[in-house]
Amino acid sequence: PTTEPPPPTVTPVASVRITRGGADVGAGPVTLEIGQSVDLVAVPLSASGTTLTRPVAWKSDATGIATVDPTSGRVTAVAVGTTLLTATSDTRSSTVPVAVQGPLTVAIEGPGAGTVTGTGVNCTGAGAPGCNASYAPGTAVTLTATPD
């Protein structure tokens, strides 16, 4: 009589880690501008932290704010607001918030020049030293100009 070999052991998914460019996104948020896209990767892990090869399904809680490809994890910002993305493998999930920002419009009146970027303010002209500054995304900044 022959005996059947035991079935292979399947290691269960214990957690799912979400990364962007190889770096763990942690609690997020992932910040994008309208129309911008980014690739997120969900990595299923065993209880010991070993990477598992398992399918992952993505979803967005608000597709009117940001969409996510259900298999690739490519996120596209649609409108200003925030949403939560979920990556699920087997019965385990991880989430990351996504904040979508709109374009910034700046009107310059009078003499002088400068630029407002996604991370700060750069000034040129008289009085520029001490004017340049960087800010974290989402920081509210009020610019006040006075005549020389």
Side-chain angles (χ1 to χ4, degrees):
T2 60
T3 59
E4 294 288 323
T9 303
V10 177
T11 304
V13 173
S15 64
V16 178
R17 181 178 66 225
I18 300 174
T19 64
R20 177 181 181 181
D24 194 336
V25 297
V30 172
T31 302
L32 301 171
E33 292 184 16
I34 294 173
Q36 186 179 13
S37 293
V38 66
D39 293 316
L40 297 180
V41 175
V43 182
L45 301 171
S46 69
S48 65
T50 303
T51 299
L52 301 172
T53 305
R54 300 284 165 63
V56 173
W58 287 91
K59 75 174 185 91
S60 170
D61 284 354
T63 56
I65 303 296
T67 61
V68 61
D69 183 281
T71 55
S72 73
R74 183 163 186 82
V75 181
T76 302
V78 177
V80 173
T82 59
T83 187
L84 195 64
L85 301 182
T86 304
T88 303
S89 183
D90 289 349
T91 60
R92 301 297 181 171
S93 298
S94 281
T95 60
V96 63
V98 173
V100 178
Q101 300 174 340
L104 176 63
T105 303
V106 176
I108 298 177
E109 297 177 8
T115 58
V116 177
T117 67
T119 57
V121 178
N122 300 310
C123 302
T124 58
C131 175
N132 298 329
S134 295
Y135 301 94
T139 302
V141 178
T142 301
L143 303 176
T144 304
T146 56
D148 287 341

